[in-house]
Amino acid sequence: MSKARLMQGNEACAEGAIAAGVNFFAGYPITPSTEIAETMARLLPKTGGKFVQMEDEIASMGAILGASLAGAKVMDATSGPGFSLKQELIGYAACAEIPCVLVDVQRVGPSTGQPTSPSQADVMQARWGTHGDHAILALSPWSVRETFDLTVKAVNYAERFRTPVILLMDEVVGHLREKVELPDQVEVYPRRQPKCTRAEGYEPFTPDEDLVPNVADFGTGYHIHVTGLIHDDTGFPSGSPAVTEASIRRLHEKIARAKDILLTEESFLDDAEYAVVSYGGAARTAYEVVAEARRQGKKVGMLRLKTIWPFPDEAVAALASRVKGILVCELNYGQMVGEVRRAAAGRCAVELCGKYNMQTFEPQEITHALTAFMAGGKA
């Protein structure tokens, strides 16, 4: 392990990306993600990588997609308004199967909202922001060290599944400073390579056993056609209903079949009668509340979601089968709570403890909601 350092969450994100092999970053500064771009601008040239500040958020997303097609491991970072602008190209990356990582350090919205204030209100946009049927992968860290670790995983997942991966941070974690020790080495997933030559009938979008194609990088001697239109295995557009159905199903199934990406963490759940479900920065306060409740002898536990999308339905369903009620704590008007209710499927009561006034949770706010919930009332 490296020596202990005092590090910000945004800085840990940049260092995790570089450790995972990211060698191209294009971005446009926006609060509260700007420190990611600043750190990448400082560190990437030292590792032979390239940093480009583009003229706007849309150009930044286009730049990383072009670099990825040419063989680079890529990342971009933004916040709410920039995240909105990038949605069309996120959909393009999903359809054309271009590996990329997009970091969204969430802030209060809608529109310009409150630029420096914490929020977790981009949860649904991360899943449904771009149009059409597609799968998406989104991870949410709750600490500086976990930001490093999940950034590494985000880069690896992007390469493994050839898909856009969203690191759904929030201002709480992005601007948090903690003492961390980072690993000297991390596991790195390499860029997938073709398994046959052009002479052997290479078609870039023929899926492998895991339903992911091994598309050659531009400039390596293979003929490749990339499009946002639905295409067959050659990469050229197809107007076939059968090809369209098979293509959209495969985009979903290549991620849905990978159960190892559904990351959660349980605390105090062995004998819990009530549970808190939370994620990201809000989970830090929720954990302290649950730990204090335990010290008082209350049978309360917590399930923390690290993978936000695909939603960990089985973990939530299993939890709902074990407890009398679930309190969902999130910094928004109520987005993840609907998914928890859907997965719980009536097995137990599910209530929201939400906050959306520019401020993080105070422990007493969650304690009050949890106490009322356990007493049989509304949170």
Side-chain angles (χ1 to χ4, degrees), residues 6-17:
L6 181 65
M7 181 178 290
Q8 189 186 65
N10 282 342
E11 295 169 335
C13 176
E15 297 224 10

Side-chain angles (χ1 to χ4, degrees), residues 135-147:
I136 202 70
L137 239 166
L139 308 176
S140 178
W142 81 330
S143 70
V144 174
R145 173 57 198 267
E146 190 170 84
T147 297

Side-chain angles (χ1 to χ4, degrees), residues 99-178:
C100 60
V101 174
L102 177 59
V103 184
D104 175 19
V105 187
Q106 299 165 90
R107 71 192 214 189
V108 173
S111 189
T112 308
Q114 299 285 1
T116 60
S117 301
S119 175
Q120 294 176 310
D122 297 352
V123 169
M124 284 300 168
Q125 187 184 24
R127 177 64 187 92
W128 303 109
T130 188
H131 59 280
D133 274 327
H134 64 98
I136 202 70
L137 239 166
L139 308 176
S140 178
W142 81 330
S143 70
V144 174
R145 173 57 198 267
E146 190 170 84
T147 297
F148 176 91
D149 294 336
L150 290 189
T151 303
V152 172
K153 284 189 179 294
V155 177
N156 285 341
Y157 289 165
E159 297 294 329
R160 174 181 167 187
F161 298 105
R162 289 196 64 95
T163 193
V165 177
I166 297 167
L167 189 67
L168 200 60
M169 293 173 62
D170 51 67
E171 189 276 339
V172 176
V173 176
H175 285 160
L176 175 71
R177 293 186 185 273
E178 289 181 315

Side-chain angles (χ1 to χ4, degrees), residues 39-54:
T39 305
M40 295 296 275
R42 186 176 72 252
L43 297 182
L44 265 180
K46 298 178 181 179
T47 61
K50 301 294 183 184
F51 171 91
V52 183
Q53 179 174 317
M54 301 298 289

Side-chain angles (χ1 to χ4, degrees), residues 275-297:
V276 172
V277 170
S278 194
Y279 55 96
R284 299 174 66 87
T285 312
Y287 178 86
E288 291 303 317
V289 169
V290 171
E292 178 59 28
R294 274 285 165 178
R295 288 189 285 269
Q296 296 175 10

Side-chain angles (χ1 to χ4, degrees), residues 86-289:
K86 296 175 189 292
Q87 291 300 327
E88 182 179 2
L89 284 173
I90 293 173
Y92 184 89
C95 184
E97 297 183 87
I98 305 173
C100 60
V101 174
L102 177 59
V103 184
D104 175 19
V105 187
Q106 299 165 90
R107 71 192 214 189
V108 173
S111 189
T112 308
Q114 299 285 1
T116 60
S117 301
S119 175
Q120 294 176 310
D122 297 352
V123 169
M124 284 300 168
Q125 187 184 24
R127 177 64 187 92
W128 303 109
T130 188
H131 59 280
D133 274 327
H134 64 98
I136 202 70
L137 239 166
L139 308 176
S140 178
W142 81 330
S143 70
V144 174
R145 173 57 198 267
E146 190 170 84
T147 297
F148 176 91
D149 294 336
L150 290 189
T151 303
V152 172
K153 284 189 179 294
V155 177
N156 285 341
Y157 289 165
E159 297 294 329
R160 174 181 167 187
F161 298 105
R162 289 196 64 95
T163 193
V165 177
I166 297 167
L167 189 67
L168 200 60
M169 293 173 62
D170 51 67
E171 189 276 339
V172 176
V173 176
H175 285 160
L176 175 71
R177 293 186 185 273
E178 289 181 315
K179 174 185 174 182
V180 296
E181 293 185 9
L182 302 182
D184 293 324
Q185 290 184 320
V186 300
E187 182 179 351
V188 175
Y189 197 97
R191 175 58 57 93
R192 302 176 74 111
Q193 299 297 326
K195 293 186 175 180
C196 65
T197 67
R198 290 181 296 169
E200 295 168 331
Y202 170 72
E203 293 183 337
F205 289 92
T206 298
D208 215 337
E209 293 82 2
D210 60 359
L211 302 183
V212 183
N214 298 305
V215 183
D217 298 328
F218 279 21
T220 56
Y222 288 83
H223 183 207
I224 307 161
H225 186 273
V226 177
T227 177
L229 291 164
I230 298 294
H231 48 271
D232 59 22
D233 291 349
T234 68
F236 285 89
S238 172
S240 163
V243 169
T244 301
E245 180 180 1
S247 177
I248 292 174
R249 182 189 303 115
R250 184 175 63 77
L251 290 178
H252 283 82
E253 287 298 319
K254 69 177 182 179
I255 293 175
R257 63 161 52 183
K259 301 301 182 183
D260 61 306
I261 65 175
L262 300 175
L263 309 175
T264 61
E265 182 178 77
E266 295 186 357
S267 301
F268 313 112
L269 282 177
D270 288 345
D271 63 344
E273 295 181 354
Y274 288 86
V276 172
V277 170
S278 194
Y279 55 96
R284 299 174 66 87
T285 312
Y287 178 86
E288 291 303 317
V289 169

